[in-house]
């Protein structure tokens, strides 16, 4: 019992001295506390916090520790998995798949792996546009980006609640490859997305695209696949739609969204620069597809259908298109084609 009282007394004295010590320290700080300014400079690897004091200038560096986990590389494209990437061709193209077809005669002048079905990314939106226009739904009807659009496609400049006409959604889908715009076109189709995708596959069958399949209106799903041969058929069909020609080759567009003007650019730098006489185009990219590009362009007064799939590098698909243009311009008049598409 006396022992317990002894330890209680010791604890009480310790607590008293601790309180007095803190009080003394706080009093000293309140008297001598200098004015401080703090400047923060952040980079990817470190955060530097500089604390300046009139008495004792100090620099305090706080290092942000990087994750020690392994860096996860992007999965290879399907063409890479099939061993198509890096194959040599006479034009030294960077695309794993390529095709050059005379739109009028269907004569093939160049081809590289033309029959392989590969993911086509946002080239899908050409089929989306055709199905949307075939529906004859009012182009001036207002459609709204809703929670489903936002949930499925996280990254977009079209915020939830954005109201736009069906025509504007079509314009943004073709010109700047806006995924929410393309998806809401399908969602506002009679029967919704399932019916829209069914219509896409029916259209593909009608066009003779026997090596193609569509799973969504945007192309972000790798199940959207086609071959270069099939894509020339889709290109030719899409070219018959005036709005698709016009919207896909529009350099830029400014729209007021949430009371703020926003400028959307064409995803094809050849359109923006005017380097080629392009009548219709669409770009695409997902990891499974690589960089893709399809175009109708006039070279030597000849309408050509151009397909480039799984190109290496950000600008390589455009460089491939210019390389093909230059090659075709040098081609002797009357050069025989490789074959003719059926």
């Amino acid at each position: 019992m006396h022992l317990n009282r002894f330890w209680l007394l010791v604890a009480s004295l310790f607590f008293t001295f601790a309180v007095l010590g803190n009080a003394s320290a706080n009093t000293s700080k309140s008297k001598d506390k200098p004015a401080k300014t703090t400047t923060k400079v952040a980079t990817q690897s470190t955060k530097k916090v500089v604390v300046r004091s009139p008495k004792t200038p100090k620099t305090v560096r706080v290092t942000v520790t990087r994750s020690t986990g392994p860096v996860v590389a992007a999965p290879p494209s399907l063409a890479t998995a099939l061993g198509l990437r890096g194959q040599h061709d006479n034009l030294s193209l960077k695309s794993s798949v390529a095709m050059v077809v005379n739109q009028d005669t269907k004569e093939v002048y160049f081809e590289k792996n033309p029959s392989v079905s590969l993911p086509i990314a946002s080239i899908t939106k050409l089929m989306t546009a055709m199905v949307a226009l075939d529906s004859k739904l009012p182009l001036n009807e207002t459609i709204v980006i809703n929670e489903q659009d936002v949930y499925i496609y996280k990254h977009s400049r079209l915020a939830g609640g954005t109201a736009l006409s069906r025509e504007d959604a079509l314009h943004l889908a073709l010109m700047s490859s806006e995924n929410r715009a393309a998806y809401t076109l399908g969602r506002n189709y009679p029967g919704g997305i399932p019916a829209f995708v069914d219509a896409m596959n029916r259209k593909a069958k009608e066009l003779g695209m026997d090596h193609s399949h569509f799973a969504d209106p945007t192309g972000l799903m790798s199940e959207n696949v086609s071959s270069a041969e099939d894509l020339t058929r889709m290109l030719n069909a899409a070219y018959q739609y005036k709005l698709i020609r016009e919207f896909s080759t529009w350099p830029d567009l400014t729209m007021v969204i949430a009371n703020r003007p926003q400028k959307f650019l064409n995803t094809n730098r050849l359109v923006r620069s005017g380097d080629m006489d392009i009548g219709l185009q669409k770009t695409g990219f997902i990891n499974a597809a690589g960089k893709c590009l399809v175009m109708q362009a006039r070279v030597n007064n000849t309408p050509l259908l151009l397909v480039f799939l799984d190109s290496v590098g950000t600008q390589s698909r455009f460089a491939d298109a210019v390389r093909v243009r230059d090659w075709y311009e040098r081609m002797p008049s009357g050069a025989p084609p490789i074959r003719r598409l059926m």
Side-chain angles (χ1 to χ4, degrees):
M1 189 70 176
H2 293 292
L3 186 60
N4 288 337
R5 286 181 181 177
F6 171 77
W7 285 113
L8 285 173
L9 179 60
V10 171
S12 176
L13 290 172
F14 180 81
F15 177 76
T16 301
F17 286 135
V19 171
L20 290 174
N22 285 337
S24 175
N26 290 336
T27 301
S28 175
K29 286 181 181 178
S30 65
K31 288 181 181 179
D32 300 330
K33 184 177 181 181
K36 295 181 181 179
T37 59
T38 303
T39 302
K40 297 183 180 180
V41 181
T43 67
Q44 288 183 347
S45 58
T46 64
K47 180 190 291 182
K48 187 178 181 181
V49 181
V50 181
V51 181
R52 295 183 177 88
S53 168
K55 286 189 175 181
T56 54
K58 296 180 181 179
T59 299
V60 181
R61 182 180 296 273
V62 180
T63 302
V64 179
T65 304
R66 291 180 176 178
S67 173
T68 57
V71 176
V72 180
S77 67
L78 181 57
T80 300
L82 293 175
L84 303 181
R85 180 167 285 187
Q87 289 184 357
H88 178 72
D89 60 75
N90 293 334
L91 299 183
S92 299
L93 301 183
K94 299 300 183 182
S95 301
S96 300
V97 170
M99 201 163 190
V100 180
V101 179
N102 184 313
Q103 185 180 14
D104 290 338
T105 66
K106 303 302 181 290
E107 292 171 331
V108 179
Y109 283 93
F110 181 88
E111 59 184 8
K112 180 180 180 181
N113 300 315
S115 303
V116 182
S117 291
L118 295 173
I120 58 173
S122 285
I123 293 174
T124 295
K125 293 182 176 75
L126 289 178
M127 181 63 77
T128 296
M130 286 192 286
V131 171
L133 291 170
D134 288 347
S135 71
K136 306 297 183 184
L137 293 168
L139 291 176
N140 60 354
E141 180 181 356
T142 298
I143 55 181
V144 179
I145 304 297
N146 71 2
E147 292 180 358
Q148 182 182 354
D149 307 326
V150 173
Y151 176 77
I152 293 177
Y153 300 107
K154 303 296 184 185
H155 304 290
S156 172
R157 294 165 66 188
L158 298 180
T162 299
L164 67 168
S165 68
R166 182 174 278 106
E167 181 174 308
D168 286 341
L170 183 67
H171 198 156
L172 291 178
L174 289 170
M175 184 194 74
S176 61
S177 210
E178 237 299 333
N179 290 313
R180 286 182 186 171
Y183 189 81
T184 199
L185 285 171
R187 186 176 52 76
N188 283 277
Y189 184 85
I193 292 294
F196 191 85
V197 172
D198 286 344
M200 294 173 74
N201 285 304
R202 284 197 305 272
K203 182 79 172 179
K205 187 174 182 180
E206 292 169 5
L207 296 176
M209 299 173 64
D210 297 331
H211 300 94
S212 303
H213 176 74
F214 295 94
D216 88 304
T218 69
L220 290 182
M221 295 181 66
S222 60
E223 289 83 354
N224 289 19
V225 297
S226 189
S227 67
E229 290 179 346
D230 281 4
L231 290 177
T232 61
R233 296 182 175 93
M234 186 171 76
L235 262 173
N236 184 59
Y239 189 80
Q240 311 311 313
Y241 295 74
K242 180 182 177 181
L243 278 183
I244 297 180
R245 297 197 304 270
E246 180 181 349
F247 289 168
S248 71
T249 56
W250 202 292
D252 58 71
L253 175 68
T254 298
M255 293 183 63
V256 177
I257 299 175
N259 297 320
R260 293 179 58 190
Q262 295 198 41
K263 187 174 184 178
F264 295 83
L265 298 178
N266 197 299
T267 55
N268 188 333
R269 74 167 180 84
L270 297 175
V271 170
R272 300 196 306 271
S273 65
D275 285 348
M276 293 181 67
D277 183 5
I278 301 171
L280 180 148
Q281 69 79 38
K282 189 70 196 75
T283 63
F285 170 74
I286 56 174
N287 287 329
K291 304 286 185 178
C292 303
L293 171 66
V294 297
M295 297 196 307
Q296 188 275 3
R298 190 166 288 274
V299 182
N300 277 355
N301 205 32
T302 303
L304 298 180
L305 303 175
L306 309 175
V307 176
F308 306 96
L309 302 181
D310 187 55
S311 185
V312 181
T314 304
Q315 304 299 327
S316 297
R317 51 188 165 172
F318 306 122
D320 281 354
V322 173
R323 192 174 288 110
V324 164
R325 179 201 63 188
D326 296 344
W327 163 78
Y328 193 84
E329 287 177 342
R330 297 191 304 267
M331 184 181 295
S333 178
I338 297 173
R339 62 187 176 98
R340 188 187 302 269
L341 283 179
M342 301 300 295

